[in-house]
Amino acid sequence: MFATFRLLLLLSFLSLLTSAQSEDQRQILLNLKSTLHNSNSKLFHSWNATNSVCTFLGVTCNSLNSVTEINLSNQTLSGVLPFDSLCKLPSLQKLVFGYNYLNGKVSEDIRNCVKLQYLDLGNNLFSGPFPDISPLKQMQYLFLNKSGFSGTFPWQSLLNMTGLLQLSVGDNPFDLTPFPKEVVSLKNLNWLYLSNCTLGWKLPVGLGNLTELTELEFSDNFLTGDFPAEIVNLRKLWQLEFFNNSFTGKIPTGLRNLTKLELLDGSMNKLEGDLSELKYLTNLVSLQFFENDLSGEIPVEIGEFKRLEALSLYRNRLIGPIPQKVGSWAKFDYIDVSENFLTGTIPPDMCKKGTMSALLVLQNKLSGEIPATYGDCLSLKRFRVSNNSLSGAVPLSIWGLPNVEIIDIEMNQLSGSISSDIKTAKALGSIFARQNRLSGEIPEEISMATSLVIVDLSENQIFGNIPEGIGELKQLGSLHLQSNKLSGSIPESLGSCNSLNDVDLSRNSFSGEIPSSLGSFPALNSLNLSENKLSGEIPKSLAFLRLSLFDLSYNRLTGPIPQALTLEAYNGSLSGNPGLCSVDAINSFPRCPASSGMSKDMRALIICFAVASILLLSCLGVYLQLKRRKEDAEKYGERSLKEETWDVKSFHVLSFSEGEILDSIKQENLIGKGGSGNVYRVTLSNGKELAVKHIWNTDVPARRKNSWSSTPMLGNKHGGGGKSKEFDAEVQALSSIRHVNVVKLFCSITSEDSSLLVYEYLPNGSLWDRLHTSRKMELDWETRYEIAVGAAKGLEYLHHGCEKPVIHRDVKSSNILLDEFLKPRIADFGLAKVIQANVVKDSSTHVIAGTHGYIAPG
Ligand SMILES: *[C@@H]1O[C@H](CO)[C@@H](O)[C@H](O)[C@H]1NC(C)=O
Ligand SMILES: *[C@@H]1O[C@H](CO)[C@@H](O)[C@H](O)[C@H]1NC(C)=O
Ligand SMILES: *[C@@H]1O[C@H](CO)[C@@H](O)[C@H](O)[C@H]1NC(C)=O
Ligand SMILES: *[C@@H]1O[C@H](CO)[C@@H](O)[C@H](O)[C@H]1NC(C)=O
Ligand SMILES: *[C@@H]1O[C@H](CO)[C@@H](O)[C@H](O)[C@H]1NC(C)=O
Ligand SMILES: *[C@@H]1O[C@H](CO)[C@@H](O)[C@H](O)[C@H]1NC(C)=O
Ligand SMILES: *[C@@H]1O[C@H](CO)[C@@H](O)[C@H](O)[C@H]1NC(C)=O
Ligand SMILES: *[C@@H]1O[C@H](CO)[C@@H](O)[C@H](O)[C@H]1NC(C)=O
Ligand SMILES: *[C@@H]1O[C@H](CO)[C@@H](O)[C@H](O)[C@H]1NC(C)=O
Ligand SMILES: *[C@@H]1O[C@H](CO)[C@@H](O)[C@H](O)[C@H]1NC(C)=O
Ligand SMILES: *[C@@H]1O[C@H](CO)[C@@H](O)[C@H](O)[C@H]1NC(C)=O
């Protein structure tokens, strides 16, 4: 009886306690709710004033209704965690906030969460250092990876966490520290992730004591020293990753005992010796040791690994054969053993399960044929076997693989022809087949491989014509067919490949006339038609291209050399064409008969020449235009690309008269003034906009035509008499700057008093506009950098998708920002030389834009 009473008393006391406690808990949790923000309105729906806290979504209680866990992982939460109140939850053991956008500092109050066993703050956006948490002695799982913590991590806090099972603090930008020796005492650890958190020097002694480890990663650090042999004691490891450090020495003897290993990656170190320790690791799924100094043979046993899916050993000094059965057992994904000295043949069965995505064996000494099995490998995306000694015919069906993006067979002794199967190669972007023994014709079906960007079939024995359908390849940027046995005429349709920037058809037997459509390539940068049998006159359209490489030598061209190609005639680009004649008495070319000369004295009045010419008016403008073009293309598809003013054809016909231009040169159209003249925006009756630059001739500053403009003119700034130097310089620049990035000069209009240059109008685009509107008196570094990167991006766009490095020759200060148009303007703002930009593109990343510049004194 009494006992029962006591029990009742106790129970009611407990329930009082818990209900009081429950109100506190609610306060704490509602406080948490109010400090955090999230986009999922449903998440906190159950967190309200009436519900029991133990039914709040993500909250777990023990049998006494005391909160033990809060799990709000991956809920798009942001805000600062209120540890001061959270740690007042008396039974809190588990906090899971991973994969959110939590920010701010983690406060010292976290030290009060003394019962915590599980803390996951990983994958967030915190800042500042992580506080000392030595009081959290019961910790078992600590996930702080990729959370933005910096400074020094409180490694000594780990010393009291003797029960720690999993520790993940990688991917944080800590200050450089040695690998924490504190972890060596954590004998129960089974998971240790310390990659990419700025650890240096050598690994601590004793790591081999952590025999419970199954997962050990410390990649992307600055660790040095011989790779420790102790590691071989970690028999339970299934994942060991230490790539991208500076470890030296050999793969330790005894590694063979780590037979549970499935994932092993020691790439990008300085390891030497051979791979013989690996031959017993039969459970490996992924084996990577690329970019080391390893030598010897690939153990033949690797060919028997039943679970192997990925093998990457490129850039070592390996010799001998590739085990022939490699990849034939599991769902093999890729092999990359490029850049070694491997011999023998390509293993035939790596795509046996139909899952292989990449076969990369470039630059070895492999011989034999390409196994026909790869022609059936529908999953294959990258097929690269270049620079070996492969022979025999390329399996025809390889050309038609539906997912293949790159076929690189160059520099072998391969024969066969490019088959009509290519019609199904819808993903194919690049063909590199240079220097082989391919023969046959280019199939008409190539026109259906519409993703093609690069086609290099040079130095083979391909014959026949270029198929007419080539014009369908709208993305084609580079076409190299030189040194083959191609004949027939160059199809006019090539002019429809409006992305072409690099064409080399030299050393073939092409005949007939050069199609004038070649002059309409908007992006052409390089054209080599030399050593063919091309005849007829040089199309006038070609004269308006401004190329960094132009070669029509050794053909059978006849007739007058267009005046705009005088420079080319001098540098040999037209030599070996005995039928060409010159109007301007160019050495080594006979003079044309008088009748073919053109009427000369046009200076007096108005000359409109429909020139599609270049001027890097503003690299930024070009970039914006390219960007706009790309956006438009994305928005409207191909149609709008065609309509873009990039089409040179439209320049031949001027859609305006000089009268219309002259009428528009008035104050309200003025958009800019600068060192060299005024710039007006002219909207034509057809709605088209033009930019017109007006330069006064300096010898007549007093006589101004009121009808044109009443604003002060700038001619007097440029002393020295005679006709405007600016004008001459600009026209001169237009015919000498060689670059594919064009701002069109439609015409020039001159009179005795002044000169007008009529350009295409770039909205908001020009650097000058920018300077003008921002009224900045000088270009700051950021702006300069921005402009250079803009230019680089513009160029990159032109070279988009190139697999091979593109090093742009012409990107330098003199033709990016300092053409004759901009120079005086920049000088106006107290700046002379500005920027040098380099565009270097490599196969993996895309663009590296390097810039440097300086402000000229004075
Ligand atoms: C509180 O949450 C519960 C569970 O989601 C819901 O049924 C109840 O309507 C909510 N109460 C209020 C006042 O919002
Ligand atoms: C947290 O909750 C999610 C979703 O309910 C669950 O998948 C995950 O396992 C939980 N995490 C932990 C550590 O309990
Ligand atoms: C997070 O949630 C999204 C869906 O809401 C899911 O796709 C994603 O895989 C989750 N991420 C993690 C790491 O759990
Ligand atoms: C990083 O932290 C998350 C939790 O935020 C965890 O799920 C994941 O396994 C950790 N990654 C590594 C490599 O430790
Ligand atoms: C570990 O715990 C002991 C006793 O609880 C304490 O004295 C010591 O300061 C703790 N160590 C650290 C590094 O906090
Ligand atoms: C390395 O860590 C940084 C954060 O410090 C992160 O942004 C980056 O993605 C990590 N690198 C890799 C390869 O995960
Ligand atoms: C590793 O463990 C052994 C045996 O338990 C012990 O003698 C040694 O001191 C430990 N090494 C370190 C560095 O903790
Ligand atoms: C190698 O690791 C360093 C340090 O984390 C990092 O900066 C660098 O980007 C890594 N290199 C590669 C190729 O991932
Ligand atoms: C590998 O394991 C065997 C058997 O446990 C042992 O005898 C041998 O010494 C180990 N090898 C090395 C090199 O540690
Ligand atoms: C081809 O491979 C050899 C070594 O086998 C190498 O020296 C050479 O540079 C490679 N050529 C190209 C163009 O990659
Ligand atoms: C054009 O091609 C021929 C033959 O392939 C080559 O010899 C010549 O150097 C190339 N012209 C230029 C300017 O590179």
Side-chain angles (χ1 to χ4, degrees):
M1 187 74 181
F2 194 63
T4 316
F5 174 74
R6 268 174 47 180
L7 184 63
L8 273 176
L9 196 70
L10 183 65
L11 280 176
S12 62
F13 172 74
L14 271 178
S15 84
L16 265 179
L17 189 75
T18 50
S19 75
Q21 175 195 315
S22 161
E23 278 323 293
D24 290 347
Q25 294 192 135
R26 185 185 306 280
Q27 280 311 309
I28 292 168
L29 292 177
L30 292 182
N31 176 48
L32 175 64
K33 170 183 172 178
S34 68
T35 28
L36 299 181
H37 316 278
N38 87 321
S39 52
N40 168 11
S41 54
K42 282 190 195 143
L43 173 65
F44 285 124
H45 189 248
S46 59
W47 290 45
N48 61 33
T50 51
N51 242 355
S52 153
V53 293
C54 297
T55 65
F56 285 12
L57 189 72
V59 173
T60 308
C61 296
N62 59 17
S63 56
L64 300 174
N65 288 337
S66 189
V67 173
T68 54
E69 291 184 31
I70 302 174
N71 176 354
L72 295 174
S73 139
N74 197 14
Q75 299 290 352
T76 66
L77 295 170
S78 59
V80 181
L81 284 176
F83 281 108
D84 52 346
S85 67
L86 270 183
C87 291
K88 288 181 181 145
L89 290 170
S91 308
L92 193 62
Q93 296 177 343
K94 192 167 178 179
L95 272 181
V96 188
F97 283 104
Y99 300 104
N100 280 297
Y101 304 90
L102 298 170
N103 53 287
K105 292 194 172 181
V106 169
S107 79
E108 300 257 334
D109 297 309
I110 195 175
R111 292 156 58 89
N112 299 325
C113 285
V114 287
K115 290 196 176 148
L116 270 189
Q117 298 174 4
Y118 194 115
L119 177 62
D120 175 7
L121 301 179
N123 302 285
N124 276 291
L125 303 172
F126 295 109
S127 54
F130 188 78
D132 181 281
I133 49 167
S134 337
L136 312 190
K137 295 178 193 167
Q138 303 187 29
M139 194 66 78
Q140 294 177 9
Y141 299 87
L142 186 54
F143 292 101
L144 302 172
N145 53 317
K146 206 167 196 172
S147 288
F149 296 119
S150 54
T152 310
F153 188 80
W155 300 113
Q156 70 290 345
S157 304
L158 302 174
L159 284 174
N160 275 351
M161 299 181 186
T162 48
L164 201 61
L165 297 171
Q166 305 202 339
L167 176 62
S168 176
V169 289
D171 298 325
N172 283 304
F174 296 133
D175 296 341
L176 182 64
T177 54
F179 191 102
K181 59 181 186 312
E182 288 82 357
V183 301
V184 171
S185 62
L186 303 171
K187 299 281 192 292
N188 296 313
L189 270 190
N190 61 53
W191 176 299
L192 182 57
Y193 180 73
L194 293 176
S195 292
N196 187 22
C197 60
T198 338
L199 302 177
W201 299 281
K202 294 187 178 180
L203 289 177
V205 176
L207 212 51
N209 277 3
L210 302 180
T211 51
E212 291 302 312
L213 280 175
T214 57
E215 149 109 24
L216 176 57
E217 293 188 58
F218 41 88
S219 305
D220 289 321
N221 281 301
F222 305 91
L223 298 164
T224 57
D226 282 1
F227 193 71
E230 278 187 273
I231 294 287
V232 308
N233 296 327
L234 308 180
R235 299 284 183 89
K236 293 187 177 169
L237 279 183
W238 69 270
Q239 177 166 17
L240 174 59
E241 311 218 342
F242 55 96
F243 59 85
N244 189 19
N245 281 288
S246 298
F247 289 116
T248 50
K250 296 183 177 172
I251 296 175
T253 313
L255 199 79
R256 65 179 67 185
N257 277 340
L258 306 190
T259 49
K260 292 207 164 73
L261 272 180
E262 293 180 19
L263 309 175
L264 176 58
D265 193 341
S267 306
M268 296 193 274
N269 279 292
K270 297 170 181 165
L271 300 174
E272 54 190 33
D274 63 26
L275 301 176
S276 55
E277 277 300 317
L278 305 179
K279 62 184 162 202
Y280 306 102
L281 304 181
T282 53
N283 282 312
L284 282 177
V285 173
S286 172
L287 173 57
Q288 317 221 20
F289 271 102
F290 63 82
E291 290 182 13
N292 274 290
D293 203 17
L294 297 164
S295 53
E297 299 198 359
I298 301 176
V300 67
E301 290 82 354
I302 288 181
E304 303 297 329
F305 288 3
K306 300 290 186 289
R307 304 174 64 191
L308 196 67
E309 292 173 12
L311 179 63
S312 190
L313 299 172
Y314 65 88
R315 286 202 193 132
N316 279 291
R317 295 189 289 121
L318 302 171
I319 56 169
I322 305 172
Q324 291 296 294
K325 285 158 112 183
V326 78
S328 62
W329 310 99
K331 292 189 170 173
F332 197 65
D333 184 7
Y334 67 92
I335 185 172
D336 191 347
V337 292
S338 305
E339 298 182 54
N340 280 293
F341 303 95
L342 300 169
T343 50
T345 56
I346 297 175
D349 294 324
M350 295 185 288
C351 198
K352 203 170 181 180
K353 294 280 192 295
T355 50
M356 189 178 202
S357 68
L359 193 164
L360 307 166
V361 297
L362 33 161
Q363 202 171 314
N364 277 292
K365 298 179 184 308
L366 300 172
S367 55
E369 303 197 355
I370 295 174
T373 45
Y374 295 107
D376 302 325
C377 187
L378 303 185
S379 54
L380 204 57
K381 288 184 175 167
R382 300 168 69 78
F383 182 76
R384 307 194 68 173
V385 299
S386 57
N387 202 356
N388 277 291
S389 296
L390 301 171
S391 55
V394 180
L396 295 182
S397 46
I398 290 239
W399 298 106
L401 291 173
N403 291 304
V404 78
E405 290 162 9
I406 173 169
I407 296 179
D408 177 9
I409 56 173
E410 70 181 29
M411 295 196 282
N412 280 293
Q413 290 101 51
L414 293 162
S415 56
S417 58
I418 296 170
S419 72
S420 58
D421 299 48
I422 200 168
K423 62 176 176 282
T424 55
K426 295 298 183 198
L428 186 56
S430 309
I431 300 176
F432 299 106
R434 184 170 64 104
Q435 268 188 40
N436 274 294
R437 295 173 188 163
L438 299 179
S439 56
E441 303 194 18
I442 301 174
E444 180 66 44
E445 289 82 356
I446 199 171
S447 64
M448 295 161 81
T450 47
S451 300
L452 276 172
V453 174
I454 299 177
V455 174
D456 186 349
L457 305 177
S458 57
E459 299 176 61
N460 278 290
Q461 288 146 33
I462 296 168
F463 51 82
N465 300 342
I466 298 181
E468 189 65 35
I470 193 109
E472 301 296 314
L473 300 179
K474 302 298 181 203
Q475 316 218 42
L476 190 63
S478 173
L479 180 64
H480 280 242
L481 302 176
Q482 71 269 26
S483 300
N484 274 292
K485 295 177 173 166
L486 292 160
S487 57
S489 53
I490 300 172
E492 187 78 35
S493 67
L494 197 58
S496 323
C497 299
N498 36 20
S499 306
L500 268 181
N501 62 65
D502 183 8
V503 178
D504 193 339
L505 307 181
S506 64
R507 275 198 198 143
N508 277 290
S509 297
F510 289 113
S511 55
E513 301 197 353
I514 300 174
S516 64
S517 66
L518 286 195
S520 69
F521 287 139
L524 198 65
N525 191 28
S526 169
L527 178 66
N528 192 343
L529 303 178
S530 83
E531 298 182 53
N532 278 292
K533 296 171 182 164
L534 298 165
S535 56
E537 296 196 3
I538 299 174
K540 298 228 164 21
S541 62
L542 280 199
F544 304 127
L545 291 169
R546 288 293 174 269
L547 307 174
S548 59
L549 189 155
F550 179 74
D551 195 344
L552 303 183
S553 62
Y554 300 97
N555 276 290
R556 296 169 185 174
L557 300 168
T558 53
I561 296 170
Q563 218 153 8
L565 292 178
T566 309
L567 216 63
E568 280 74 12
Y570 274 116
N571 73 18
S573 293
L574 300 175
S575 52
N577 288 289
L580 288 177
C581 66
S582 121
V583 184
D584 296 342
I586 305 169
N587 293 344
S588 77
F589 288 94
R591 236 191 140 99
C592 295
S595 61
S596 67
M598 36 172 112
S599 83
K600 280 215 177 132
D601 204 38
M602 298 185 287
R603 189 187 314 117
L605 265 172
I606 295 168
I607 327 159
C608 268
F609 44 101
V611 189
S613 194
I614 68 155
L615 175 63
L616 281 154
L617 179 68
S618 149
C619 55
L620 188 69
V622 173
Y623 168 52
L624 288 176
Q625 184 161 353
L626 285 165
K627 195 169 157 224
R628 197 190 56 207
R629 178 181 162 205
K630 196 176 171 192
E631 282 163 0
D632 282 353
E634 278 162 11
K635 242 191 282 173
Y636 303 114
E638 269 170 16
R639 203 175 58 85
S640 75
L641 266 183
K642 275 189 211 144
E643 289 167 4
E644 271 287 343
T645 45
W646 291 86
D647 188 350
V648 179
K649 278 177 196 151
S650 65
F651 311 149
H652 293 266
V653 187
L654 288 184
S655 54
F656 52 85
S657 67
E658 69 275 12
E660 204 174 349
I661 301 288
L662 297 183
D663 287 345
S664 310
I665 302 305
K666 46 193 173 200
Q667 182 69 33
E668 67 239 49
N669 289 336
L670 187 70
I671 54 169
K673 285 191 256 182
S676 61
N678 289 352
V679 180
Y680 300 85
R681 177 165 66 202
V682 173
T683 308
L684 299 172
S685 52
N686 65 9
K688 199 178 159 123
E689 290 193 315
L690 299 170
V692 179
K693 180 172 166 189
H694 177 207
I695 303 163
W696 281 92
N697 297 341
T698 47
D699 53 348
V700 283
R703 282 195 296 139
R704 286 171 193 154
K705 291 200 173 168
N706 299 331
S707 62
W708 281 16
S709 172
S710 57
T711 54
M713 292 298 155
L714 295 151
N716 52 356
K717 273 198 181 174
H718 302 275
K723 209 163 154 296
S724 165
K725 277 187 195 156
E726 219 52 70
F727 177 75
D728 290 342
E730 191 144 335
V731 176
Q732 174 62 35
L734 287 173
S735 50
S736 63
I737 297 174
R738 302 166 152 263
H739 205 285
V740 295
N741 288 357
V742 293
V743 166
K744 288 155 218 126
L745 174 65
F746 287 116
C747 74
S748 78
I749 303 174
T750 60
S751 73
E752 238 175 81
D753 292 351
S754 59
S755 313
L756 297 175
L757 292 169
V758 181
Y759 301 96
E760 94 183 288
Y761 176 73
L762 292 176
N764 310 322
S766 86
L767 171 63
W768 192 79
D769 275 355
R770 236 173 108 92
L771 290 171
H772 186 68
T773 51
S774 68
R775 299 199 187 281
K776 277 196 177 164
M777 292 313 285
E778 61 176 47
L779 279 171
D780 58 19
W781 263 104
E782 250 170 57
T783 313
R784 285 190 271 163
Y785 177 76
E786 229 175 80
I787 291 165
V789 170
K793 283 186 181 156
L795 291 166
E796 200 271 335
Y797 175 76
L798 288 175
H799 293 287
H800 69 286
C802 301
E803 277 292 336
K804 290 272 160 98
V806 173
I807 296 168
H808 208 286
R809 277 173 279 238
D810 280 358
V811 190
K812 48 182 187 270
S813 53
S814 57
N815 62 8
I816 283 275
L817 288 177
L818 293 181
D819 56 75
E820 289 304 313
F821 184 51
L822 278 173
K823 204 185 214 159
R825 300 181 167 201
I826 289 166
D828 275 355
F829 291 98
L831 252 184
K833 294 275 179 198
V834 186
I835 280 168
Q836 197 157 41
N838 291 304
V839 181
V840 179
K841 191 169 162 165
D842 69 27
S843 52
S844 51
T845 57
H846 267 259
V847 179
I848 300 148
T851 64
H852 74 260
Y854 56 91
I855 299 171

